[in-house]
Amino acid sequence: MHENCNPNDCPVSARVDTLKDEFDRYRDGSSSTHRQMFDRIRALEQSGATLRTKLDGMDEKLDALTTTAQTLAAKPGKRWDGLADKVFWFVLETILLFVAIKIGLK
């Protein structure tokens, strides 16, 4: 304080007190705001962890479904391969039987 200023009637002192009170209000408000922001961040992190767990479970189920679909898709192909193999041998046996009959009749 200035030496010419009366401590009981100093306009600067009143203004300093007002600024101090205002600063305290801002500090309390910002503390509350920071607390709310950190609570929201914490909630988002927990939500993200939950989503990550669900996605991991979905990935495992999707892998199992993909394996099952591939197995099921391969079965008809195996059936057709088996059928084609049997038809081939049937035709070959028929031809051989026909040749054997022709040779045996002459």
Side-chain angles (χ1 to χ4, degrees):
M1 260 199 238
H2 196 267
E3 57 271 353
N4 294 336
C5 191
N6 180 3
N8 295 331
D9 188 31
C10 182
V12 174
S13 177
R15 181 66 181 145
V16 167
D17 290 340
T18 303
L19 288 173
K20 180 184 169 290
D21 293 340
E22 194 173 325
F23 178 77
D24 288 341
R25 275 196 317 272
Y26 283 128
R27 185 177 44 201
D28 292 342
S30 67
S31 294
S32 174
T33 302
H34 285 114
R35 192 175 314 109
Q36 291 172 358
M37 286 177 16
F38 287 128
D39 288 345
R40 285 182 171 179
I41 290 170
R42 192 174 8 268
L44 286 172
E45 288 173 343
Q46 290 172 349
S47 175
T50 302
L51 285 174
R52 225 178 341 270
T53 302
K54 286 182 180 180
L55 286 175
D56 289 343
M58 287 178 168
D59 283 344
E60 291 172 7
K61 290 178 183 177
L62 186 59
D63 290 341
L65 286 173
T66 302
T67 303
T68 302
Q70 289 172 347
T71 303
L72 291 174
K75 280 186 180 181
K78 288 179 183 177
R79 287 183 187 147
W80 283 110
D81 289 344
L83 181 62
D85 189 44
K86 289 174 184 158
V87 168
F88 171 76
W89 286 112
F90 175 74
V91 170
L92 184 62
E93 289 173 359
T94 304
I95 292 171
L96 290 175
L97 180 63
F98 180 72
V99 169
I101 291 174
K102 286 289 187 178
I103 292 175
L105 292 176
K106 287 189 179 182

